Amino acid sequence: MKQTSSWASFAGKLAVYEHASDVCQCPMTFAVYTPPQASQGPVPVLWYLSGLTCNWSNVMEKSGIQRAAAEHGLMVIAPDTSPRGDDVADDDAYDLGQGAGFYLTATQAPWSKHYRMDQYILDELTPLVAERFPADMRRQGITGHSMGGHGALTLHLKHADRFRSVSAFSPCSSPSEAPWGQKAFGAYLGDDREAWKAYDAEHLVRAQPSKATILIDTGNADPFLDEQLMPQRFIDACEAAGQSVESRLQPGYDHSYYFIASLIDQHVAHHAQVLKSVPGSRF
Amino acid sequence: MKQTSSWASFAGKLAVYEHASDVCQCPMTFAVYTPPQASQGPVPVLWYLSGLTCNWSNVMEKSGIQRAAAEHGLMVIAPDTSPRGDDVADDDAYDLGQGAGFYLTATQAPWSKHYRMDQYILDELTPLVAERFPADMRRQGITGHSMGGHGALTLHLKHADRFRSVSAFSPCSSPSEAPWGQKAFGAYLGDDREAWKAYDAEHLVRAQPSKATILIDTGNADPFLDEQLMPQRFIDACEAAGQSVESRLQPGYDHSYYFIASLIDQHVAHHAQVLKSVPGSRF
């Protein structure tokens, strides 16, 4: 693992790292914001999963998350959205291939060789963070935007003992019913919709709700609201399953980072409150 | 004037406008952040002047200024850094021509036809803002970054009755002594260094200090610190002239927007405090 760049940010440090990934079989890049509190000992970890076309830089440049993380003493980890490189399968469309990994393990050629973003985060990046950074891994939360909101919800629901707090901005929470998800799942997982269920938050929450309260914000001026995001479907599934959820439609906001920036303080505060309450915390 | 895009941001509105500029003789673009308080009546105005290569988007995407402006109820105006277009003189270098207007009125060909950024801000954009936006023009402050810090300091010192509060991030405050300034002033203003004095903050503060307190932050890891910025020269000139200045070297920070974002709250609060104290304010 090598650090490729770093900046002082809100009295902490933002740095970008590159490492050779065994899971993705290509070099992978991620960013870590370490808050000033980490100089006193390990701090809780907030994972931020980005949306289509993004990499670590969108959230770190545009969301203001470092400000909130420094206020609450959280580390922020921003993985990339897919494997990348000349040898990695790709597609000309913005919503398939590089930049569109959908936080799943592809089973179909040509994607199955490199596209394993959930395994990468769970089995490779997590131990790397635990080993190399002052991270209190008993206290991890997860959030994300759009495709990354899908990633945050599904990773939380499948690993609620690990990602104890969860929130999402404009998540694609019913991907099996949305054009983005149908296209990506069909390509990465094949036509058998049974295989899609393991990556569909609406299905997962019906099957295995968590004890957390899921915080979701979506702009009511989001151009993807009705066709891709459909937040009410996920709310209905949560209510049917007994999952605590606070899903809000925010007036006037769209799908941009201006929206995320406007709500990031509330999301980070939500994570901090949950993670502080984890027993045994030295936070 | 036409609005080319807009976004909800911190319960206010960020919008980008294009208009035909008489002063610059080309189309000009600028952004306005209108805070939620403007729905109750005119609000004070904070001008943000960007640095080399930038346009309205850098500060609005990366600094978090909308958050602070919404907290304090300030409007933010972000002009472009130069005239632009196929018909506008340019240079391949990043520090001359388009994106590098230096907030001055060029007297030398080929620059003198379009490059009039100070006149543009003072005589064209200001009345446009006053007419079209809920702006309390008795309460204006000015700030900026690098080349824009030079712009903020010089416009304040020459028009202290208009720009009542002033601050700067990493300003080029002694441009006549810095390679950036020498190159630009030589091209735009000619070789006679007497003509440079009207755009040199170090000279201006010696000749006509203001009653304001100038707030300046510069990172001590800024790669331009010693050669281009030289903050101590400006501090010395302020002290000699009786100008109140608070110029700080911030440990670890560089020249990036990560630095600006980390300090923007303090700068906006500085402006809000001064502008709130202007007699007759309805702020």
Side-chain angles (χ1 to χ4, degrees):
Chain A
M1 182 180 95
K2 70 173 178 187
Q3 177 181 302
T4 56
S5 48
S6 76
W7 300 268
S9 174
F10 290 94
K13 175 185 173 181
L14 172 65
V16 181
Y17 301 90
E18 186 178 306
H19 69 124
S21 167
D22 290 333
V23 171
C24 294
Q25 297 194 41
C26 65
M28 292 292 286
T29 300
F30 65 98
V32 176
Y33 176 66
T34 304
Q37 294 87 341
S39 65
Q40 306 301 314
V43 294
V45 173
L46 177 58
W47 294 82
Y48 182 96
L49 306 186
S50 287
L52 289 166
T53 78
C54 294
N55 60 25
W56 68 267
S57 67
N58 304 71
V59 63
M60 295 300 189
E61 291 181 351
K62 296 183 174 180
S63 76
I65 198 169
Q66 297 98 310
R67 183 187 178 284
E71 182 181 336
H72 294 284
L74 301 185
M75 178 177 294
V76 181
I77 314 289
D80 206 343
T81 49
S82 76
R84 296 184 193 265
D86 293 342
D87 299 333
V88 174
D90 198 8
D91 189 281
D92 287 342
Y94 77 101
D95 54 1
L96 190 68
Q98 295 186 31
F102 274 86
Y103 306 101
L104 53 72
T105 296
T107 57
Q108 306 296 304
W111 312 106
S112 50
K113 182 175 179 188
H114 299 286
Y115 284 74
R116 301 177 178 188
M117 288 302 295
D118 57 339
Q119 278 188 37
Y120 166 70
I121 290 168
L122 293 166
D123 300 337
E124 188 164 20
L125 192 49
T126 292
L128 189 64
V129 167
E131 182 187 335
R132 300 293 192 93
F133 297 90
D136 179 355
M137 303 306 278
R138 293 168 300 176
R139 284 141 201 101
Q140 296 181 65
I142 194 163
T143 185
H145 174 230
S146 195
M147 175 184 75
H150 142 76
L153 295 176
T154 54
L155 283 169
H156 165 74
L157 289 166
K158 294 162 82 170
H159 307 278
D161 55 336
R162 187 186 290 207
F163 303 110
R164 293 170 180 262
S165 59
V166 60
S167 74
F169 299 91
S170 341
C172 187
S173 47
S174 300
S176 301
E177 308 302 323
W180 281 335
Q182 290 167 347
K183 178 178 178 180
F185 288 5
Y188 298 141
L189 303 173
D191 292 335
D192 180 0
R193 292 175 66 110
E194 271 302 300
W196 298 9
K197 290 183 177 176
Y199 299 108
D200 185 298
E202 181 188 335
H203 172 79
L204 287 169
V205 80
R206 289 185 194 277
Q208 51 197 77
S210 80
K211 292 183 177 136
T213 294
I214 300 174
L215 174 63
I216 296 176
D217 280 305
T218 308
N220 77 352
D222 190 317
F224 303 113
L225 184 65
D226 295 331
E227 190 183 6
Q228 303 279 10
L229 308 180
M230 302 171 279
Q232 191 60 47
R233 285 190 66 108
F234 189 69
I235 295 171
D236 292 344
C238 287
E239 288 179 354
Q243 171 73 52
S244 175
V245 63
E246 184 175 0
S247 182
R248 310 179 292 202
L249 269 186
Q250 297 287 356
Y253 290 100
D254 63 8
H255 204 68
S256 72
Y257 267 86
Y258 294 117
F259 161 62
I260 298 172
S262 300
L263 276 301
I264 196 79
D265 279 2
Q266 292 181 43
H267 281 241
V268 173
H270 167 78
H271 288 275
Q273 184 180 32
V274 174
L275 297 176
K276 279 178 182 172
S277 74
V278 173
S281 174
R282 58 178 305 288
F283 181 34
Chain B
M1 182 179 94
K2 71 173 177 187
Q3 177 181 301
T4 56
S5 49
S6 76
W7 301 268
S9 174
F10 290 94
K13 176 185 172 181
L14 171 64
V16 181
Y17 301 90
E18 186 178 306
H19 69 125
S21 166
D22 291 333
V23 171
C24 294
Q25 297 193 42
C26 64
M28 291 294 285
T29 300
F30 64 98
V32 177
Y33 176 67
T34 304
Q37 293 87 341
S39 64
Q40 307 299 315
V43 294
V45 174
L46 178 58
W47 294 81
Y48 182 96
L49 306 185
S50 287
L52 289 166
T53 77
C54 294
N55 61 25
W56 68 267
S57 67
N58 305 71
V59 63
M60 295 300 188
E61 291 181 351
K62 297 184 175 181
S63 76
I65 198 169
Q66 296 99 310
R67 184 188 178 283
E71 180 181 338
H72 293 285
L74 301 185
M75 178 177 294
V76 180
I77 314 288
D80 207 342
T81 49
S82 78
R84 295 184 193 265
D86 293 342
D87 299 334
V88 174
D90 199 7
D91 189 280
D92 287 341
Y94 77 100
D95 55 0
L96 190 68
Q98 296 186 31
F102 273 85
Y103 306 101
L104 53 71
T105 295
T107 58
Q108 306 297 302
W111 312 106
S112 51
K113 183 174 179 189
H114 299 284
Y115 284 74
R116 300 177 179 189
M117 288 303 295
D118 57 339
Q119 277 188 38
Y120 166 71
I121 289 168
L122 293 166
D123 300 338
E124 188 164 20
L125 192 50
T126 292
L128 189 65
V129 166
E131 183 187 334
R132 300 293 192 93
F133 296 90
D136 179 354
M137 304 305 280
R138 293 168 300 177
R139 284 140 201 102
Q140 297 180 66
I142 194 163
T143 186
H145 174 229
S146 195
M147 175 184 76
H150 141 76
L153 294 175
T154 54
L155 283 169
H156 165 74
L157 289 166
K158 294 161 84 170
H159 307 278
D161 55 337
R162 187 185 290 206
F163 303 109
R164 293 169 180 263
S165 59
V166 60
S167 74
F169 299 90
S170 341
C172 187
S173 48
S174 299
S176 301
E177 307 303 322
W180 280 336
Q182 290 167 347
K183 177 179 179 179
F185 288 4
Y188 297 141
L189 304 173
D191 292 335
D192 180 1
R193 292 175 65 109
E194 270 302 301
W196 299 9
K197 291 183 177 174
Y199 299 107
D200 185 297
E202 181 187 335
H203 173 79
L204 287 169
V205 81
R206 290 186 193 277
Q208 50 197 76
S210 80
K211 293 182 177 138
T213 294
I214 301 174
L215 174 63
I216 296 176
D217 280 305
T218 308
N220 78 351
D222 190 318
F224 304 114
L225 184 65
D226 295 332
E227 189 183 8
Q228 302 279 10
L229 308 181
M230 302 171 280
Q232 191 59 47
R233 285 191 67 108
F234 189 69
I235 295 171
D236 292 344
C238 287
E239 288 179 354
Q243 171 73 53
S244 174
V245 63
E246 184 175 1
S247 182
R248 309 179 293 202
L249 269 186
Q250 297 288 356
Y253 290 100
D254 64 9
H255 204 67
S256 72
Y257 267 86
Y258 295 117
F259 161 62
I260 298 172
S262 300
L263 277 303
I264 196 79
D265 279 2
Q266 293 181 41
H267 282 242
V268 173
H270 168 78
H271 288 275
Q273 184 180 33
V274 174
L275 297 175
K276 279 178 182 173
S277 73
V278 174
S281 173
R282 57 177 307 288
F283 183 34

